Amino acid sequence: MTPHPAQPSAADLDAALHALRRHLRGWPVSSAICLSRQPSDLPDVPPPFPLPAHAPTRRHHDWHAGRRCAAHALHLLGHPDALRPLPRTPGGAPDWPAGTHGSLSHAGGLTVAAATRAPQRVGLDLEPLTGPAPDARRWRHVLTESAFKALWPLRQDPLDPAHFHAPPPPDPTRTQGVADVHVLGWPGPLQVRWVHTHGFLLALTLLPAPPEAP
């Protein structure tokens, strides 16, 4: 079983936040990306939030953080309905406004969201690390989640890691790059851009012109 990373300090989170933002600014992706440690600094999203009141405090925090970061990404994209609450799809994923597609993730005290204009699609995943570089299990998980989110619902199969083939983890001295992820039944590999720094691994998949679902 993969051990859970220790909760990073505020200083560690700030360092990770600044490092990830620096990397994201250099990524040639046509998406609006929000990365935050203190989502209360972002524009608020009006209620209601479809989350039970009895849900754990941490769940409420993650929910608000994700929705605020998603709203900010839509705002950066110039969408007129950026500050409206995102409803949930029947599967529980955020229901992004018509004409857009987005993805969000929160882990280890950081929240990240990306939004893009249709027909482009984006998927991302963020996970804390237990060592200086991602182990094989965490590497595969993050790349798979990123690719799955970009494809959903074009590819409506439930998430099955066996359907996704990611390359082995890179040499630990490499801290960023692009990996080809192959998906069962999907034509051609998906290019997943990744970076690991300051105890976090972030992966983003962008489909500039997605083909029709097989």
Side-chain angles (χ1 to χ4, degrees):
M1 180 179 295
T2 303
H4 292 287
Q7 182 66 28
S9 67
D12 290 338
L13 286 174
D14 282 336
L17 182 68
H18 292 310
L20 288 169
R21 280 177 173 166
R22 185 173 64 251
H23 284 288
L24 288 173
R25 282 196 294 269
W27 284 8
V29 296
S30 53
S31 298
I33 302 174
C34 168
L35 183 65
S36 176
R37 184 173 78 83
Q38 295 178 317
S40 59
D41 294 339
L42 301 175
D44 198 4
V45 182
F49 291 92
L51 192 68
H54 59 77
T57 301
R58 184 66 192 179
R59 183 73 181 93
H60 275 277
H61 177 272
D62 288 346
W63 185 268
H64 283 263
R67 265 47 185 183
R68 283 191 174 193
C69 222
H72 190 58
L74 287 168
H75 174 72
L76 293 173
L77 196 67
H79 197 278
D81 295 330
L83 297 185
R84 294 185 180 179
L86 287 179
R88 299 178 71 180
T89 64
D95 190 5
W96 295 81
T100 71
H101 186 256
S103 183
L104 60 88
S105 183
H106 33 65
L110 295 182
T111 303
V112 61
T116 190
R117 292 185 176 88
Q120 295 176 335
R121 305 183 69 81
V122 63
L124 54 80
D125 193 51
L126 175 73
E127 290 289 338
L129 301 178
T130 56
D135 59 73
R137 179 176 176 180
R138 198 170 300 271
W139 165 261
R140 176 179 169 79
H141 169 77
V142 172
L143 267 61
T144 295
E145 284 282 343
S146 170
F148 174 78
K149 291 177 181 179
L151 288 174
W152 181 264
L154 294 178
R155 181 184 182 277
Q156 296 194 8
D157 295 335
L159 176 59
D160 184 346
H163 293 172
F164 293 77
H165 177 73
D171 184 286
T173 60
R174 290 187 60 201
T175 59
Q176 61 179 323
V178 180
D180 285 344
V181 175
H182 296 262
V183 185
L184 181 68
W186 194 260
L190 302 181
Q191 289 193 326
V192 182
R193 192 169 294 272
W194 59 269
V195 57
H196 72 80
T197 181
H198 289 74
F200 285 88
L201 173 63
L202 174 66
L204 182 145
T205 304
L206 185 70
L207 300 182
E212 294 295 325

